[in-house]
Amino acid sequence: MKDIREVFREHQNEEQAAKMARYMRDQFPFYGLPSPLRKELEKPYIKEAKAYFSWEKMDAIYADEHRECQYFVIDVLKSMKKKLTYEEIEHIKALILDRSWWDVNDELAKVIGTIGLKDERVSHLMLEWSCNENLWLRRVSILHQLSFKEKTNTNLLESILCANVGSKEFFINKALGWALRDYSKTDPQFVREILKRYELAPLTVKEASKYLR
């Protein structure tokens, strides 16, 4: 098969690429591939990557300047996230710190979250990350339990929240609200108590309260 990067280049759309770059504040160049097209092009490559997984190969693709290449690696990891182990989080951390932005980091948080469901060491690591000076590691720690529903470790969620109360960072306060809003669909009373117990940023309160009545 051709290299996935070559396939992406063959389908690039300059007009769409410009729009996608603007949406990301012109931080990253794009090939201009709509998500449905990209995912269709990826299918045989993801199948191959799962069968012959190589961090070296994934790193080489991730290093490409075009954002679709980071999306491809993330799609590979998500497709095999049940097979990934705690020991591989250090490698995932390197991806989080490389050209960090919400579009890739929030997806990598889901990968780490899946590992956390089967390895309690992730909880301790997420507590560490919640105090890290890097805002993207903190955001990943906040969001890694998203969609866990009744499997959510509420003590961990509250501890991570406590570590970030008082933050002036938009991406942190937004993530806190998002995490609380998501869990409010499972246990609204827990979220109500959190909102009473802590002096949270207005943005966090607004997001967290969306489904509360």
Side-chain angles (χ1 to χ4, degrees):
M1 291 194 296
K2 296 179 181 178
D3 188 291
I4 186 64
R5 289 162 288 188
E6 183 179 349
V7 174
F8 284 168
R9 283 194 296 272
E10 291 174 349
H11 290 81
Q12 64 184 333
N13 182 317
E14 293 184 4
E15 181 179 353
Q16 188 67 22
K19 292 179 181 178
M20 295 170 77
R22 283 197 298 272
Y23 182 68
M24 290 295 168
R25 301 183 183 178
D26 291 311
Q27 296 184 91
F28 320 105
F30 283 81
Y31 284 120
L33 306 180
S35 182
L37 172 60
R38 189 190 82 246
K39 291 182 179 296
E40 186 63 31
L41 296 173
E42 288 177 352
K43 283 182 180 179
Y45 292 89
I46 288 179
K47 184 177 181 179
E48 180 185 48
K50 289 172 66 177
Y52 307 100
F53 184 78
S54 163
W55 273 116
E56 182 178 1
K57 187 172 183 179
M58 291 300 103
D59 287 344
I61 296 172
Y62 202 89
D64 189 284
E65 64 175 352
H66 294 87
R67 204 58 166 171
E68 285 91 349
C69 292
Q70 283 93 67
Y71 296 162
F72 168 73
V73 172
I74 290 169
D75 286 342
V76 170
L77 295 177
K78 288 170 66 177
S79 75
M80 54 181 296
K81 58 188 178 183
K82 292 183 179 180
K83 297 181 180 179
L84 296 175
T85 65
Y86 178 84
E87 286 69 29
E88 289 167 297
I89 292 181
E90 191 64 25
H91 211 122
I92 297 170
K93 178 182 178 181
L95 302 184
I96 293 170
L97 297 176
D98 182 6
R99 289 162 289 183
S100 303
W101 200 243
W102 62 265
D103 58 330
V104 299
N105 290 54
D106 293 0
E107 295 302 311
L108 290 171
K110 296 176 184 178
V111 176
I112 290 176
T114 302
I115 299 173
L117 286 173
K118 58 188 178 184
D119 195 320
E120 63 182 15
R121 289 177 293 175
V122 172
S123 296
H124 300 290
L125 182 62
M126 292 300 101
L127 276 176
E128 292 179 15
W129 285 16
S130 72
C131 302
N132 195 285
E133 63 181 12
N134 184 279
L135 77 91
W136 298 108
L137 291 180
R138 296 206 311 275
R139 183 172 166 105
V140 166
S141 74
I142 294 166
L143 296 178
H144 83 282
Q145 293 194 92
L146 209 64
S147 301
F148 275 20
K149 299 181 180 180
E150 69 281 350
K151 295 181 180 179
T152 300
N153 181 333
T154 54
N155 289 331
L156 176 61
L157 177 60
E158 184 170 359
S159 295
I160 289 173
L161 180 144
C162 286
N164 288 278
V165 168
S167 174
K168 304 298 183 184
E169 173 55 57
F170 170 85
F171 287 109
I172 295 300
N173 290 325
K174 184 81 169 181
L176 290 171
W178 188 8
L180 291 172
R181 182 186 70 196
D182 180 72
Y183 190 60
S184 74
K185 292 181 284 187
T186 299
D187 188 347
Q189 186 56 36
F190 172 85
V191 176
R192 289 191 187 96
E193 292 174 0
I194 289 291
L195 293 178
K196 291 179 182 178
R197 193 175 304 154
Y198 300 98
E199 188 173 346
L200 302 174
L203 175 60
T204 300
V205 174
K206 179 182 177 182
E207 290 291 329
S209 304
K210 184 174 181 179
Y211 301 124
L212 297 178
R213 296 180 180 178

